[in-house]
Amino acid sequence: MQTTVSIPTLENIAFQRLENENFITGEVDFNPTYGVYTGYLQITPTICIDFTDSKYCLADEGEKIAEISSDLENAIENYLRDNYTISDDESEYDFADMRIKLQKEY
């Protein structure tokens, strides 16, 4: 399904949504074991940024974002890393558990 929105217009909309974090809807999951994101971010009523298996594409356009704009691809990667990446580092959890235990003892 092709849209009547031009690629530069679509790119501008995507950048605005990323910058303002105001997507229509979206669902993002991060798998720390494999370091991949799955899900989507809806940027217009009919078009979303789909990054299932970390292959970023405009879902209804069927075009890979890397082929449209490397700047947009980098912006999406940065947005996902900054907002959805969770650490697989157990030391963070160990510290929190120790702090809770110490608080209970006092």
Side-chain angles (χ1 to χ4, degrees):
M1 177 170 126
Q2 291 292 77
T3 184
T4 56
V5 178
S6 70
I7 295 299
T9 302
L10 199 55
E11 185 178 8
N12 287 336
I13 291 169
F15 273 119
Q16 287 175 338
R17 298 278 186 194
L18 286 168
E19 184 177 324
N20 298 325
E21 297 184 23
N22 66 342
F23 301 99
I24 295 171
T25 187
E27 184 176 314
V28 179
D29 289 314
F30 176 70
N31 183 329
T33 303
Y34 298 106
V36 296
Y37 301 94
T38 55
Y40 69 95
L41 297 169
Q42 195 79 35
I43 59 172
T44 72
T46 58
I47 298 172
C48 67
I49 298 169
D50 181 1
F51 39 86
T52 301
D53 299 326
S54 292
K55 296 177 184 174
Y56 308 115
C57 66
L58 299 173
D60 286 356
E61 296 297 299
E63 296 186 43
K64 291 181 182 174
I65 290 175
E67 295 172 4
I68 296 170
S69 167
S70 61
D71 292 337
L72 180 56
E73 181 181 39
N74 290 335
I76 293 166
E77 288 174 349
N78 291 336
Y79 176 81
L80 291 173
R81 184 180 60 246
D82 294 345
N83 293 289
Y84 294 98
T85 301
I86 55 173
S87 175
D88 203 17
D89 183 7
E90 292 295 325
S91 65
E92 291 179 24
Y93 300 112
D94 293 342
F95 176 74
D97 289 342
M98 184 184 303
R99 191 177 71 208
I100 290 169
K101 183 180 177 183
L102 288 173
Q103 287 173 347
K104 286 180 179 180
E105 288 178 3
Y106 288 107

